[in-house]
């Protein structure tokens, strides 16, 4: 999977594990220093592995809890947005839909 975000980042499965202001991410299966309910067992299809930035719950982008303290409790991660593919789609065999 590319290390970039599409849409709200709910499908993001990359390995960025630091918030946009530089805080290390807390592991999803840890309750320290931030006690929380966003656990791998509660969101089994959201890729909550290690301490990677994820968006299991409809935030504007991938995020994580702050492993370095409780302020901020959590923060969005700085992950680049995937570029829009500038190519002819396989469903558009003759290129008539191309708008690049």
């Amino acid at each position: 999977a590319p290390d970039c975000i599409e849409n709200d980042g709910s499908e993001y499965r990359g390995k960025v594990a630091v918030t946009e202001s530089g805080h290390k991410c807390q592991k999803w299966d840890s309750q320290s220093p931030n006690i929380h309910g966003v656990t791998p067992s509660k969101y089994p299809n959201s890729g909550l592995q290690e301490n990677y930035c994820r968006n299991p719950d409809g935030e504007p982008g991938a995020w994580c809890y702050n492993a370095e303290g409780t302020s901020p409790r959590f923060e969005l991660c700085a992950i680049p947005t995937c570029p829009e593919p500038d190519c002819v789609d396989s469903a558009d065999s003759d290129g008539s839909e191309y708008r690049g």
Side-chain angles (χ1 to χ4, degrees):
D3 223 347
C4 58
I5 281 206
E6 292 179 299
N7 305 316
D8 65 356
S10 59
E11 301 295 312
Y12 177 71
R13 296 294 181 271
K15 296 193 171 170
V16 172
V18 63
T19 72
E20 59 190 3
S21 67
H23 296 291
K24 184 181 175 197
C25 292
Q26 176 177 322
K27 288 191 172 189
W28 292 104
D29 60 2
S30 170
Q31 294 293 318
S32 175
N34 294 287
I35 296 170
H36 65 90
V38 185
T39 58
S41 57
K42 187 172 177 186
Y43 295 89
N45 301 317
S46 294
L48 301 182
Q49 301 159 302
E50 297 295 327
N51 62 337
Y52 304 136
C53 302
R54 296 292 184 259
N55 185 10
D57 59 347
E59 293 294 327
W63 60 278
C64 67
Y65 289 103
N66 175 13
E68 297 168 5
T70 55
S71 182
R73 178 172 155 78
F74 65 90
E75 193 172 33
L76 290 173
C77 298
I79 303 165
T81 304
C82 298
E84 289 292 320
D86 188 18
C87 57
V88 175
D89 184 297
S90 58
D92 178 28
S93 58
D94 64 356
S96 61
E97 300 295 317
Y98 179 70
R99 299 291 182 273

